[in-house]
């Protein structure tokens, strides 16, 4: 049960053969199956295999850069580790939700990362870390550092549904940097400073009373970063539309993830009227986008009492 | 020899790259804008000086006897003086009735003329003459209209006084002055600019004099040897803004987020240098589509940086979006916050596309001209080589 860093390649090969995809690409269904079987067999293989039913419902769109595969892997890891007795179930009588201790979270994260490696080949580990610990984490040169406390921020999450290839976009940025190195290198430095400035402000917001000026700064940083992302060449007309539509309501947005389409986040202020939120969500849907009102910086993986799961989700999960 | 019937024209100015960053010590590229100011000076025997400025509804007539009393004490020097003769300015302000307080456009134009006229002719007999000016440039739009006027005035009056020759030869359509004479023209034009603006950078009159493109860095102005002529659309959103307010806004933003903003200024500096390099290449080797691709990318990047600096405006976003829908790339030019924008046209850009884009921009409520940048500075024209519609206006006085 040790936190192994490398995949058991032999097991992966046998599982691929088992599901009939010896060579070639895995589709979403294959990925989810392989991930499950790998963790299940690794955790239970040394004793009697238990029969069980696993049902999963996600609010996340797939393949949108929003960590849906990692959220799945984290859930699998947490549930199967509990089922195998490797970690305790933290929920006590009367609790709605409960979280694991740091050591157990590290075990969950480790197995979730194995699932991610099966699905993505060479993932950064950021997705499963966020899925496990929640909140916010700093990511630099391969190092992941969870940050102690961050405020919960209300946002709109919008999916333009414009398809794009992350690989192509990453290459486009690289090409632009090579083409105009003296112009582009300072832009990267600016983004670095921007991230650090944002981290500082968010940290302040957990230590002192939150003011309108905190939010003003967050909004300015969002706008600046969005411009820099356009400069890097990962903008898209759909994202311009997203930004313009939200700005018309006084709300500030930026793309999140690969760009070139895909998703964007819009910061809501504590005083943003729910009617304004509703109107903006509708405006974005009228553009053909999907849009959810949600928050960032919230909790990572947790155990729920059945009654504390949203009714609509509970209905779906209970139907199996 | 004094030339007493002369047509001259001078271009306006646009900033191609580096506005706002230049205030913080970065390179800016200023280019001549081929919307021109035309001036006709002719000697008369009326015994007075007539000034006709139909663009600003200003028509003045001064008797020579009135002007004689204003002659400066230290005039007669044709030397390129750097400082204004403050005593002369004071007397002229008193003469036109604006001793204290702000000058309006009419005052500025009058003062500028009288200052140069009296400085150049004061040591001999004042000539009676008529000066008529017609400009294609909007005023107070940051496009160098006052400098184009000052350059025309300086060139025409220096010729009229015999201080510089009129370069136009028989059969020429247009002609330009030699370097030394251009420096004299520029020097006097700068005097005019100081009267109008108080503490001008000198960029506008330098561009009006030499044309082409010049590099501006930390107060130093360097005309660049050769630049290609680039076709553009010049759009005026007509959204009013205060340059002073916008400059302060940028400064505040830099102070608020120094680690974020300082690299942005460095990027603009590098961008101006990269653009200068590409334009220089375009005069040495065959111009390719890739040259234009690079110019367009630099325009887009700079426009984003200007938004980051805080001088964007919804009208400018509209301008950029409308032109981009036709595959054309635009950026604000000058102070931002409204004001003007330039759109690069490619050699292969169809005239029907240009027409449609101009119309789309006009439909947004903007003014829009098809023109070029990097063209010639001040020049003398034969009457026949002045555009017919302009000649008609100038000849009506």
């Amino acid at each position: 049960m040790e936190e192994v860093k490398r995949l058991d390649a032999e097991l992966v090969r046998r599982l691929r053969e088992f599901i009939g995809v010896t060579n070639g690409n895995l589709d979403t269904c294959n990925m989810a199956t392989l991930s499950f079987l790998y963790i299940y067999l690794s955790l239970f293989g040394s004793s009697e295999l238990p029969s069980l039913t696993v049902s999963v419902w996600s609010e996340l769109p797939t393949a949108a850069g929003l960590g849906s595969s990692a959220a799945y892997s984290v859930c699998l890891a947490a549930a199967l580790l509990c089922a195998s007795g490797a970690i305790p179930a933290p929920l006590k009588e009367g609790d709605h939700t409960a979280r694991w201790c740091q050591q157990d979270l590290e075990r969950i994260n480790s197995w979730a990362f194995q699932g991610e490696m099966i699905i993505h080949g060479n993932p950064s580990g950021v997705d499963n870390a966020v899925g496990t610990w929640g909140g916010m984490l700093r990511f630099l040169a391969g190092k992941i550092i969870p940050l102690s406390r961050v405020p919960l921020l209300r946002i709109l999450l919008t999916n333009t549904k414009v398809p794009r290839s992350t690989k192509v976009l990453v290459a486009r940025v690289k090409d632009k940097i090579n083409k105009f190195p003296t112009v582009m290198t300072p832009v990267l430095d600016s983004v670095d400073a921007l991230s650090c400035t944002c981290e500082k402000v968010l940290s302040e917001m957990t230590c002192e009373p939150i003011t309108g000026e905190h939010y003003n700064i967050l909004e300015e940083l969002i706008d600046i970063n969005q411009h820099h992302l356009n400069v890097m060449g990962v903008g898209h007309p759909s994202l311009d539309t997203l930004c313009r539509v939200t700005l018309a309501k006084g709300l500030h947005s930026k793309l999140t993830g690969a760009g070139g389409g895909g998703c964007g986040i819009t910061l809501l202020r504590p005083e943003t009227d729910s009617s304004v939120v509703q109107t903006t969500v509708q405006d974005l849907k009228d553009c053909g986008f999907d849009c959810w009102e949600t928050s960032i910086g919230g909790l990572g993986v947790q155990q729920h009492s059945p009654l504390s799961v949203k009714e609509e989700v509970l209905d779906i999960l209970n139907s199996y």
Side-chain angles (χ1 to χ4, degrees), chain A:
Chain A
M1 303 304 168
E2 293 316 308
E3 275 85 272
V4 282
K5 288 278 145 72
R6 271 187 309 280
L7 280 181
D8 180 342
E10 173 57 24
L11 175 57
V12 175
R13 193 196 59 74
R14 265 183 292 132
L15 290 175
R16 266 180 167 261
E17 200 180 306
F18 178 70
I19 66 171
V21 192
T22 328
N23 300 308
N25 290 331
L26 304 165
D27 63 23
T28 315
C29 166
N30 300 146
M31 292 175 180
T33 312
L34 264 186
S35 208
F36 171 81
L37 290 174
Y38 182 96
I39 302 176
Y40 172 81
L41 290 168
S42 300
L43 290 179
F44 290 103
S46 61
S47 46
E48 212 176 292
L49 294 178
S51 53
L52 39 81
T53 297
V54 167
S55 309
V56 180
W57 178 259
S58 184
E59 296 173 326
L60 291 160
T62 55
L66 300 176
S68 66
S69 70
Y72 169 72
S73 297
V74 168
C75 284
L76 269 186
L80 290 171
L81 281 166
C82 275
S84 75
I87 64 179
L91 198 72
K92 305 216 179 338
E93 183 121 10
D95 283 348
H96 286 275
T97 58
R99 310 201 64 226
W100 284 267
C101 69
Q102 186 64 16
Q103 192 182 12
D104 292 339
L105 288 174
E106 277 175 33
R107 300 182 90 168
I108 291 170
N109 186 54
S110 186
W111 282 100
F113 187 53
Q114 299 263 301
E116 281 284 271
M117 283 196 280
I118 287 168
I119 292 170
H120 293 294
N122 192 18
S124 65
V126 168
D127 297 36
N128 45 278
V130 166
T132 302
W133 278 283
M136 185 167 89
L137 55 86
R138 189 200 307 145
F139 182 45
L140 171 60
K143 274 202 153 76
I144 299 171
I145 301 159
L147 299 168
S148 37
R149 280 177 61 192
V150 286
L152 199 72
L153 298 175
R154 293 200 304 151
I155 64 156
L156 295 182
L157 192 285
T158 303
N159 188 358
T160 63
K161 298 189 286 189
V162 173
R164 72 281 186 276
S165 155
T166 301
K167 189 183 270 192
V168 163
L169 290 158
V170 168
R172 189 182 300 167
V173 175
K174 188 175 178 192
D175 289 345
K176 200 146 191 189
I177 295 168
N178 288 338
K179 190 173 184 182
F180 302 117
T182 53
V183 177
M184 298 302 298
T185 305
V187 175
L188 300 177
D189 291 340
S190 182
V191 173
D192 188 88
L194 193 152
S195 294
C196 294
T197 304
C198 186
E199 189 184 330
K200 205 158 76 74
V201 171
L202 291 174
S203 174
E204 277 172 23
M205 288 167 81
T206 63
C207 307
E208 45 186 82
I210 295 176
T211 65
E213 183 54 22
H214 286 127
Y215 274 90
N216 294 347
I217 293 175
L218 292 178
E219 288 175 339
E220 285 190 80
L221 295 176
I222 282 171
D223 289 347
I224 294 172
N225 201 353
Q226 178 62 14
H227 280 296
H228 287 345
L229 288 158
N230 274 302
V231 165
M232 286 184 237
V234 297
H236 189 272
S238 61
L239 293 165
D240 295 339
T241 298
L242 194 164
C243 291
R244 196 168 60 254
V245 164
T246 55
L247 194 61
K249 298 288 189 289
L251 302 170
H252 297 256
S253 310
K254 63 177 281 291
L255 71 86
T256 176
C263 296
I265 50 176
T266 305
L267 183 64
L268 303 175
R269 297 173 74 111
E271 68 269 25
T272 307
D273 222 14
S274 68
S275 60
V276 170
V277 175
Q278 288 320 306
T279 320
T280 311
V281 169
Q282 192 53 53
D283 289 346
L284 291 165
K285 286 179 174 173
D286 291 345
C287 295
F289 306 153
D290 287 337
C291 186
W292 301 264
E293 186 182 349
T294 182
S295 58
I296 54 174
L299 294 173
V301 65
Q302 50 190 346
Q303 183 184 5
H304 293 258
S305 73
L307 293 174
S308 77
V309 176
K310 289 183 199 183
E311 193 180 333
E312 53 268 30
V313 175
L314 194 60
D315 287 346
I316 295 168
L317 294 178
N318 280 342
S319 61
Y320 301 103

